[in-house]
Amino acid sequence: MSKIRGMRRYGILASSVGVSCATALALPLAAATASAHPASAHPASAHPASARPVSAGPAVPGSTLSLPLVPLTPARVLGHAPLQGLYRSAVRHFSLVGVVWDDVDTELHGSVQVRTRAAATGAWSGWQDIEAHNADHGADPDTPERANGRVRGATAPLWVGDSDGVDLRVSADTGDRGAPPVPLPSGLRLELVDPDAEAPSQGPPADPPPAGGMSAEAAAASEANAELVPLGATRIPALDRAETERELFALRGDELTDRQRAQPYIGPRPSITTRRGWGADESLREQGFVYTSKVKAAFVHHTASGNNYTCAQAPSVIRGIYRYHVKSMGWRDIGYNFLVDKCGTIYEGRAGGVAKAVRGAHTMGFNTDSMGVAVIGTFTKSSPPAATVTAVARLAAWKLGLYGMNPLAKTYLTSGGGNLYAKGKNAHLNVISGHRDGFATECPGKLLYGKLGSARKAAAGYQGR
């Protein structure tokens, strides 16, 4: 149900299109500014990847339009308008929206709603809620990624499809029993993300890259998977059990015990669409990769970006989330290590190699020795498709198997700081956990969380346990 309590308090109903539009149009709107962020100031925190010389190809298109919100009421709470928003009847095309603010440590207590105009038909959507509580996603406290000076507070991104008009309302929480609303964060801005053109078509994984079609950054991201596929591959193919075991010995043979050599519990490698396959613009992210020592647990998330996308649009959704994480939120790369769409397709997330222990920014406090798997969609009231749950189980069976982890077991992780476990606390968690197990949050949504038991059992079965 739409959250309009705060809007009703100030005499503006979000569902009243004429009133809301007229109110917004009557206020002066600040000029649009494109979001821009400097390059990383922490190269020492990453491990540079070697890259053979590859001629730079044309930059992948895409853009982020960042617009400051304006007050929609003369009232003030501790100097801030408790109702802010923005209406634009004509902007350049975008497909994903979110709201950011200055201080990453400040939470937005209130509701965020948006309606958009479809570029193809000119029809306005109904009001949609944007998930405002998103602080549980991100880099661990006291890490270079969180302290880079660019990280900002943000809502979850919402996929709206190809649009050219927007109407946004952000309302402060009114509090209980007539208490004054909590002030909204400073520096609220609407981010309109164009995820760019189509991803490259996925040919056989052994196809060489087109001449001159890869930048040095793209080559580095691709070379991180060089032990699995040739440079420029758009897809890492599935393997059977025997092939996967041979790969395990090649990748990690020196680290296996005699018992693991005799009985390697690992699921067959699933097919994975690479970053090149979903069309990542490698110039956006920070260069180099950051690794942790091992993968002891998998945290399952939902992106909270809505379910109104087709499987063919999934690469565009991922490009939008990637751009939002980097350009709008200030992260070094997309936060998740892997993403899974509603059809069960698995995608490489943060760069550094799908078989390696890449440190993500997905579960605040527990990004070390873990991986983050995000299911694209929102699963608080909608059930995840069976194909998606199966894909999560297959991915976990393979990746956790590379590091000798049993999907049915528990493991200890040391907290980097959060609202459930203090920094330095050893947490005893399921090897396959939901985001809410490491941080007090709704993620990955009640209905996806309820499927994790069956995912653990299936993953163990794929490992041969």
Side-chain angles (χ1 to χ4, degrees), residues 388-414:
T388 296
V389 179
T390 297
V392 169
R394 289 188 180 278
L395 173 61
W398 170 70
K399 185 64 182 276
L400 292 171
L402 286 174
Y403 294 86
M405 300 305 297
N406 181 350
L408 292 174
K410 289 180 177 286
T411 189
Y412 283 97
L413 293 176
T414 302

Side-chain angles (χ1 to χ4, degrees), residues 259-339:
R259 185 175 181 179
Q260 288 173 323
R261 287 176 176 275
Q263 179 59 69
Y265 290 109
I266 185 169
R269 187 181 77 191
S271 175
I272 303 171
T273 298
T274 66
R275 290 171 64 91
R276 183 164 174 80
W278 56 259
D281 179 354
E282 300 294 353
S283 69
L284 294 181
R285 64 175 173 84
E286 285 189 25
Q287 300 312 298
F289 313 120
V290 179
Y291 297 100
T292 184
S293 60
K294 61 187 71 174
V295 178
K296 297 172 63 179
F299 285 98
V300 178
H301 305 256
H302 67 171
T303 59
S305 52
N307 302 319
N308 296 323
Y309 72 95
T310 66
C311 294
Q313 291 175 321
S316 292
V317 177
I318 297 171
R319 292 195 299 274
I321 294 172
Y322 169 46
R323 178 173 279 274
Y324 185 71
H325 281 183
V326 176
K327 301 299 289 184
S328 299
M329 298 179 68
W331 296 358
R332 64 174 289 115
D333 193 351
I334 193 170
Y336 310 113
N337 297 102
F338 297 92
L339 299 98

Side-chain angles (χ1 to χ4, degrees), residues 74-144:
R76 293 292 183 271
V77 176
L78 297 180
H80 298 276
L83 183 62
Q84 299 181 36
L86 185 72
Y87 173 79
R88 288 294 171 90
S89 61
V91 292
R92 67 191 185 203
H93 287 214
F94 63 93
S95 297
L96 182 140
V97 302
V99 174
V100 301
W101 54 91
D102 294 338
D103 186 359
V104 67
D105 294 318
T106 299
E107 291 193 41
L108 194 160
H109 296 282
S111 62
V112 182
Q113 292 184 306
V114 69
R115 66 188 190 104
T116 54
R117 187 177 64 190
T121 65
W124 285 88
S125 71
W127 288 95
Q128 300 184 73
D129 290 323
I130 298 178
E131 176 55 59
H133 304 292
N134 195 44
D136 44 304
H137 296 80
D140 292 347
D142 303 323
T143 58

Side-chain angles (χ1 to χ4, degrees), residues 324-381:
Y324 185 71
H325 281 183
V326 176
K327 301 299 289 184
S328 299
M329 298 179 68
W331 296 358
R332 64 174 289 115
D333 193 351
I334 193 170
Y336 310 113
N337 297 102
F338 297 92
L339 299 98
V340 180
D341 71 18
K342 62 174 64 176
C343 289
T345 302
I346 301 169
Y347 301 86
E348 177 184 15
R350 181 163 288 207
V354 298
K356 300 176 182 178
V358 179
R359 182 192 289 168
H362 49 83
T363 306
M364 184 181 292
F366 292 105
N367 291 307
T368 297
D369 293 344
S370 72
M371 69 173 184
V373 181
V375 178
I376 303 171
T378 304
F379 301 102
T380 51
K381 298 179 181 179

